[in-house]
Amino acid sequence: MEIEPIAFIMNDYMEKFGVPRQSGLVSLCSQIVLEPKFCDENAMRGLEDFTHIWLIWGFSEAKTDGFSPTVRPPRLGGNVRKGVFATRSPFRPNSLGLSVVKLVSVDGFSITVTGADLMNGTPIYDIKPYLPYADSVPDASNGWSLAEHKGRLAVEFPMELSEIIPADKRQGLTETLAQDPRPQYQNIPERVYTMAFGEWQVSFTVDGEQLTVIKITK
């Protein structure tokens, strides 16, 4: 079966570094823009009645050389192997991702959502409504990935730097930084990391549970 993108996503995550590791963790807005072939208003009818939707999308930046049955999840330090089907690694037999996002609005053939864990330009292959009575399993086990979730970092954002970022994007950037964009195995307090966010380059350091923004440039 051959599949083609029905849409592409537009947001401020310009590279893989900094993209939230799971959906729903950051409230930054993204736009889903349908391809001309699928711009039929009948296809959108009733979508605005839902609060959340599922996105089926492609890991367009993940390149693989054949099938690997195991991967090394970064959140486990990159040294522990797990079965690929027991992870959400982008390096999969078929490079497909699945994310649930909050639906903000439907404007013509553009859909505004929050909580996306996709970088700018990611192809979307399908959109489906999220059904709480069927899709939510409150007592589900986290399995080994329970170790992946950790508390957020405290973000120190000097006023003179925070004002460089427009107010409507500032919260999303702060939430993204609080998730700790660094690889799990890197913990060097004096190292400066730089993340692309929209038209800006955001540089920061991390010491313990404190992330400090030190420079923002265009």
Side-chain angles (χ1 to χ4, degrees):
M1 181 180 68
E2 294 185 3
I3 59 175
E4 61 180 311
I6 65 165
F8 289 86
I9 199 163
M10 299 173 58
N11 59 28
D12 290 305
Y13 295 123
M14 310 309 292
E15 59 186 18
K16 290 187 291 183
F17 181 66
V19 176
R21 295 183 176 90
Q22 305 294 343
S23 61
L25 299 179
V26 176
S27 60
L28 188 73
C29 281
S30 297
Q31 305 294 132
I32 299 170
V33 181
L34 266 65
E35 288 288 89
K37 178 179 178 179
F38 302 98
C39 288
D40 185 323
E41 60 184 13
N42 291 310
M44 309 286 276
R45 188 186 303 167
L47 184 62
E48 68 278 1
D49 295 334
F50 295 92
T51 62
H52 294 74
I53 55 176
W54 289 105
L55 303 179
I56 300 173
W57 50 278
F59 287 102
S60 54
E61 296 299 309
K63 311 301 180 183
T64 60
D65 296 319
F67 172 63
S68 175
T70 62
V71 295
R72 297 176 179 178
R75 299 296 282 177
L76 294 183
N79 297 315
V80 179
R81 284 196 171 273
K82 295 289 183 179
V84 64
F85 300 131
T87 75
R88 297 194 178 190
S89 168
F91 302 104
R92 322 189 64 77
N94 295 301
S95 297
L96 295 177
L98 178 67
S99 299
V100 62
V101 295
K102 183 177 181 179
L103 177 59
V104 177
S105 64
V106 180
D107 303 298
F109 302 113
S110 176
I111 305 168
T112 301
V113 301
T114 61
D117 54 342
L118 291 71
M119 67 178 289
N120 183 66
T122 295
I124 308 295
Y125 292 112
D126 206 355
I127 298 170
K128 297 184 178 184
Y130 176 89
L131 304 178
Y133 77 90
D135 295 338
S136 177
V137 187
D139 58 348
S141 168
N142 283 298
W144 67 267
S145 63
L146 179 63
E148 287 192 6
H149 185 72
K150 63 177 184 178
R152 297 189 175 201
L153 297 178
V155 177
E156 182 179 343
F157 216 139
M159 182 64 69
E160 66 273 16
L161 294 180
S162 67
E163 291 178 346
I164 296 175
I165 306 296
D168 63 329
K169 298 180 182 290
R170 201 174 301 152
Q171 180 178 346
L173 172 59
T174 302
E175 292 175 355
T176 300
L177 294 171
Q179 294 295 325
D180 194 353
R182 302 173 304 160
Q184 182 70 15
Y185 50 85
Q186 292 186 5
N187 188 21
I188 307 171
E190 60 272 19
R191 177 167 179 173
V192 176
Y193 299 86
T194 300
M195 182 185 81
F197 183 80
E199 58 185 308
W200 304 276
Q201 296 289 321
V202 181
S203 299
F204 61 91
T205 59
V206 180
D207 188 357
E209 300 301 313
Q210 176 74 54
L211 182 148
T212 304
V213 178
I214 60 173
K215 183 171 65 172
I216 299 178
T217 59
K218 283 193 175 182

